[in-house]
Amino acid sequence: MWGLVRLLLAWLGGWGCMGRLAAPARAWAGSRGGPGPVLLRNRRSWVWNQFFVIEEYAGPEPVLIGKSLDREEKAQYVLLAQAVDRASNRPLEPPSEFIIKVQDINDNPPIFPLGPYHATVPEMSNVGTSVIQVTAHDADDPSYGNSAKLVYTVLDGLPFFSVDPQTGVVRTAIPNMDRETQEEFLVVIQAKDMGGHMGGLSGSTTVTVTLSDVNDNPPKFPQSLYQFSVVETAGPGTLVGRLRAQDPDLGDNALMAYSILDGEGSEAFSISTDSQGRDGLLAVRKPLDFETRRSYSFRVEATNTLIDPAYLRRGPFKDVASVRVAVQDAPEPPAFSQAAYHLAVPENKAPGTLVGQVSAADLDSPASRIRYSILPHSDPERCFSIEPEDGTIRTVVPLDREARVWHNLTVLATELDSSAQASRVQVAIQILDENDNAPQLAEPYDTFVCDSAVPGQLIQVIRALDRDEVGNSSRVSLQGPLGPDANFTVRDNRDGSASLLLPSRPAPPRQAPYLVPIELWDWGQPALSSTATVTVSVCRCRPDGSVASCRPEAQLSPAGLSTGALLAIITCVGTLLALVVLFVALRRQKQEALMVLEEEDVRENIITYDDEGGGEEDTEAFDISALQNPDGAAPLNPGPPARRDVLPRARAPRQPRPPGPADVAQLLALRLREADDDPSMPPYDSVQVYGYEGRGSSCGSLSSLGSGSEAGGALGPAEPLDDWGPLFRTLAELYGAKEPPAP
């Protein structure tokens, strides 16, 4: 390390820039009369001078071996130096530092770190309008010489743009630059150091300048006349055609509004702007008629919707074109003379009364014949008819205004030459009123009056109703009973109502309500009248005027009997009648039980139980064969025994009834054997379970159910019941066989 320092110091000494080692100063000091002189010495120190070297030096003198100095990489170096004793290699003083600054030369060209640039400026801008500022950077030392002093110039883009040499601000150089002529410019800007003098280094960048649009162009129709055609059957809103005025501007500056200038065209047509705001849409406004008018001519104006006041001098921002629309003929249905008809006919007129007439014509061919008809759904009750030839409408039945005031018909007119050409019209027929309804009370009146009421007191306001219009309720008069003996007074209020009053002479007390007759009549032509009745009950009232009791039912009781007594008598009579009926029914039932059954009229009683068993657990828990009659059972058939707990697939055939006179014992034995042999019969049948009475009796079974059953299946002779003694006389009479009469 120190060797390097010594080498560097030697190199620096060769350049005349070196440090000096200050020699120690010697001084003598002493005092008079004192000892000899004393030597004083100061410590050595380095005295360094700043020095400069030229970068990129390649001379014969030593420098940093293998490396040239670059100020842009490192502008200065700081070194440490120290004096060392060669013999002992001990430092003679502390380290000292010295600075080496690298002197700059112009070795770096300017660069634009943010380039290339893009800028926008409105078209038609004034001269000197700022567009953008460009900035170049030079890595050389700006504080030393002109190496970093930059000057900006325009290499490409003249004469449209200029640049400030010092600031780099790009500005417009000419007025009225038109976007529609040229929309984009490429400007090349150069930055040169050394103040722009010869020998300086330079760098360049590009600036793309785009002119933004302003509304500086008025709309213009490409042609002065537009011609369109439309059929006369086109309805309102049908599109006729499109018009477009050309505007080279962009966006909102090219939006337009269209209008029709002439009143003739604005009545039949309308024009609007499409969704993009560029085209004018011409449409039908009202129905057209070829026979009335065959063409329309008018003017259309196109106007910019957004106008910049700064460019009014370039206006006006509108244009006008002429439009001609031709109306084409088309087959049309018949046209009625009116859009709708309003007819009237009085009520109660005889069938065939004339109501009115509708008329339609074929505008394409006026001589064509028209056929008229009424659509059935508009006249479901068939109240009217129409003449097919002339459209005359007449009544079919008498009409009642009170049932229906208006009848709305739909009349269809069809060309005879073309049934597809048809049109409809609404015909409203009003039924006119006549005085054909007598007035009547608005509602049934059933009122009361307190027995303590004073004469002249208002009892009830009675209102009248007249269904006719000519004799409405406001012109109905009401009148009650007249004369001094009248129990109540009726006063006409002359507004379709009357007041029922208590007369000056009170009504005599009575339990039955009063029936007050009321006469009503109207003022129509002819006048009609009717009579109604108002019920008035005389009641006992409380002090506040509410009803305490009314007894209109007392008049229904017989003289001397009250209502309670009458009800008691009726109850007793009803009870006696019920007892008699019950006694007769029991008597008849007892007689029927003792009647002897006829031989052919024998029935079995089957008792049905709703109890559900346990299925196979019940049937297999015990042997059900003990419940069957062993004497009447059929011999067992070979093979597996049939199950009695399930329904078999085949039912046993029913044995026919033996011919000859009917014997009850034989019949019962036959039926019993059928039940025993039938595997489909359930084991809990009442006949099987209870038909066998056991063994051991000398008389055998007392029941006739098993008396005829034998092992072989043949019926044996029945033992006469008369031989059993007097105790079985009743059974002999009921079930014994009758002896045939002696010959």
Side-chain angles (χ1 to χ4, degrees):
M1 175 64 183
W2 287 111
L4 177 61
V5 171
R6 286 192 294 269
L7 178 62
L8 179 60
L9 291 177
W11 172 71
L12 293 176
W15 283 90
C17 298
M18 64 179 184
R20 301 193 311 271
L21 181 61
R26 292 179 174 86
W28 298 93
S31 62
R32 184 175 296 180
V38 179
L39 179 62
L40 299 178
R41 182 179 179 179
N42 294 330
R43 186 177 182 182
R44 292 190 300 267
S45 63
W46 289 91
V47 178
W48 295 97
N49 295 326
Q50 291 186 351
F51 55 89
F52 301 92
V53 295
I54 299 175
E55 66 174 329
E56 299 183 5
Y57 172 76
E61 298 298 332
V63 294
L64 290 176
I65 299 175
K67 181 175 177 64
S68 301
L69 299 180
D70 188 357
R71 192 202 65 83
E72 286 71 35
E73 292 184 2
K74 192 169 185 178
Q76 66 182 15
Y77 296 87
V78 179
L79 301 180
L80 294 177
Q82 189 179 31
V84 181
D85 189 333
R86 291 184 178 180
S88 62
N89 201 25
R90 292 183 303 169
L92 299 179
E93 68 277 327
S96 300
E97 77 174 17
F98 61 95
I99 300 174
I100 302 175
K101 292 186 177 180
V102 182
Q103 185 178 351
D104 183 45
I105 64 173
N106 188 19
D107 61 341
N108 292 280
I111 61 173
F112 292 88
L114 301 180
Y117 296 87
H118 295 270
T120 303
V121 64
E123 63 174 333
M124 298 296 169
S125 297
N126 297 326
V127 176
T129 302
S130 177
V131 178
I132 194 174
Q133 183 179 12
V134 297
T135 303
H137 176 70
D138 195 325
D140 293 327
D141 188 1
S143 62
Y144 179 79
N146 294 328
S147 299
K149 186 177 181 179
L150 304 180
V151 175
Y152 298 94
T153 58
V154 176
L155 296 183
D156 191 5
L158 296 175
F160 303 103
F161 299 94
S162 64
V163 64
D164 189 290
Q166 306 300 326
T167 62
V169 175
V170 181
R171 301 179 184 274
T172 58
I174 62 173
N176 301 328
M177 284 190 294
D178 191 7
R179 185 200 63 82
E180 289 74 29
T181 303
Q182 184 176 349
E183 183 177 3
E184 190 174 272
F185 297 85
L186 184 63
V187 182
V188 179
I189 305 296
Q190 182 190 65
K192 188 174 184 181
D193 58 11
M194 298 299 292
H197 296 294
M198 184 177 297
L201 302 178
S202 64
S204 62
T205 187
T206 59
V207 179
T208 304
V209 181
T210 303
L211 298 181
S212 61
D213 185 62
V214 298
N215 192 9
D216 59 337
N217 295 281
K220 184 68 176 178
F221 283 105
Q223 59 192 73
S224 59
L225 177 63
Y226 292 85
Q227 295 187 5
F228 303 98
S229 62
V230 61
V231 295
E232 62 176 338
T233 55
T238 303
L239 180 64
V240 178
R242 287 176 174 263
L243 296 88
R244 169 175 283 195
Q246 296 180 353
D247 190 336
D249 294 326
L250 299 177
D252 294 344
N253 297 320
L255 297 179
M256 283 172 283
Y258 296 86
S259 61
I260 298 177
L261 299 180
D262 302 325
E264 173 186 279
S266 61
E267 294 178 358
F269 300 94
S270 63
I271 191 169
S272 60
T273 309
D274 66 351
S275 58
Q276 285 74 29
R278 303 301 298 270
D279 293 351
L281 306 179
L282 185 64
V284 177
R285 186 173 185 177
K286 69 175 185 179
L288 306 174
D289 187 8
F290 174 82
E291 289 73 23
T292 303
R293 188 167 186 174
R294 301 190 177 187
S295 66
Y296 293 84
S297 298
F298 49 89
R299 295 183 302 161
V300 173
E301 181 182 73
T303 307
N304 278 136
T305 57
L306 298 177
I307 300 177
D308 192 343
Y311 304 100
L312 287 176
R313 66 184 184 278
R314 303 180 65 88
F317 290 85
K318 59 183 178 181
D319 194 21
V320 178
S322 298
V323 177
R324 184 178 183 274
V325 180
V327 181
Q328 298 178 348
D329 190 21
E332 297 177 274
F336 284 92
S337 59
Q338 300 180 21
Y341 291 86
H342 179 196
L343 307 177
V345 62
E347 65 174 332
N348 301 324
K349 293 298 182 180
T353 301
L354 177 64
V355 178
Q357 185 178 16
V358 297
S359 176
D362 185 1
L363 301 181
D364 298 328
S365 178
S368 299
R369 299 176 60 186
I370 306 298
R371 181 179 180 85
Y372 302 92
S373 61
I374 298 176
L375 295 183
H377 73 272
S378 63
D379 185 22
E381 300 176 356
R382 303 295 189 270
C383 298
F384 302 92
S385 64
I386 189 171
E387 291 293 335
E389 303 296 333
D390 58 5
T392 301
I393 300 177
R394 299 179 181 275
T395 61
V396 177
V397 295
L399 304 175
D400 186 8
R401 190 202 69 86
E402 287 71 33
R404 187 174 180 183
V405 180
W406 289 93
H407 293 263
N408 297 313
L409 307 181
T410 301
V411 176
L412 183 68
T414 308
E415 295 181 9
L416 291 180
D417 298 337
S418 176
S419 59
Q421 299 296 331
S423 58
R424 303 179 181 185
V425 70
Q426 297 294 323
V427 180
I429 301 177
Q430 182 182 9
I431 310 303
L432 302 179
D433 185 48
E434 290 187 350
N435 192 24
D436 58 345
N437 291 279
Q440 57 187 0
L441 294 181
E443 59 179 289
Y445 289 96
D446 189 353
T447 184
F448 72 94
V449 62
C450 296
D451 53 3
S452 60
V454 298
Q457 179 176 339
L458 176 63
I459 301 175
Q460 180 71 45
V461 176
I462 305 171
R463 301 189 180 278
L465 176 65
D466 195 335
R467 299 174 60 192
D468 296 322
E469 288 184 350
V470 296
N472 53 38
S473 58
S474 62
R475 299 198 56 188
V476 175
S477 298
L478 298 91
Q479 180 178 332
L482 304 176
D485 297 335
N487 295 325
F488 298 93
T489 301
V490 177
R491 183 180 64 194
D492 191 359
N493 297 331
R494 300 184 181 279
D495 61 352
S497 66
S499 299
L500 181 61
L501 305 174
L502 193 64
S504 57
R505 181 181 62 81
R510 55 184 292 185
Q511 294 181 342
Y514 289 91
L515 301 179
V516 182
I518 304 296
E519 183 180 2
L520 305 91
W521 70 90
D522 57 25
W523 295 88
Q525 296 295 331
L528 300 178
S529 62
S530 64
T531 302
T533 302
V534 177
T535 303
V536 181
S537 301
V538 179
C539 302
R540 180 179 301 172
C541 299
R542 299 184 179 90
D544 58 356
S546 60
V547 177
S549 63
C550 292
R551 298 183 302 273
E553 71 279 0
Q555 62 177 348
L556 300 177
S557 302
L561 292 178
S562 63
T563 304
L566 183 60
L567 292 177
I569 294 175
I570 295 175
T571 303
C572 293
V573 172
T575 303
L576 293 176
L577 291 176
L579 292 175
V580 171
V581 171
L582 180 60
F583 178 77
V584 172
L586 293 176
R587 183 86 174 181
R588 180 175 299 176
Q589 183 178 2
K590 185 176 180 180
Q591 291 179 356
E592 292 178 354
L594 298 178
M595 293 178 60
V596 179
L597 297 177
E598 296 293 336
E599 292 181 0
E600 287 80 12
D601 191 14
V602 177
R603 297 181 178 87
E604 298 178 359
N605 294 329
I606 300 177
I607 302 175
T608 303
Y609 295 91
D610 293 334
D611 296 336
E612 297 182 0
E616 295 182 358
E617 296 180 357
D618 289 347
T619 57
E620 296 177 359
F622 57 93
D623 186 8
I624 61 174
S625 60
L627 300 178
Q628 301 177 355
N629 188 354
D631 296 337
L636 297 177
N637 296 326
R643 295 187 59 181
R644 308 276 303 177
D645 56 342
V646 295
L647 184 66
R649 296 184 180 180
R651 186 178 180 88
R654 188 179 181 89
Q655 298 184 9
R657 183 176 177 179
D663 182 78
V664 177
Q666 295 180 1
L667 180 62
L668 293 178
L670 176 63
R671 294 293 177 255
L672 179 59
R673 186 164 54 255
E674 290 180 355
D676 291 339
D677 297 339
D678 190 358
S680 64
M681 298 298 293
Y684 44 83
D685 184 27
S686 59
V687 174
Q688 295 174 264
V689 176
Y690 304 105
Y692 180 63
E693 298 181 358
R695 301 180 179 178
S697 174
S698 59
C699 299
S701 176
L702 298 179
S703 173
S704 61
L705 298 178
S707 58
S709 179
E710 294 182 359
L715 293 177
E719 183 179 2
L721 296 179
D722 295 337
D723 299 337
W724 290 2
L727 297 177
F728 298 94
R729 185 176 301 161
T730 303
L731 290 177
E733 295 175 356
L734 293 176
Y735 299 101
K738 295 182 178 181
E739 296 293 340

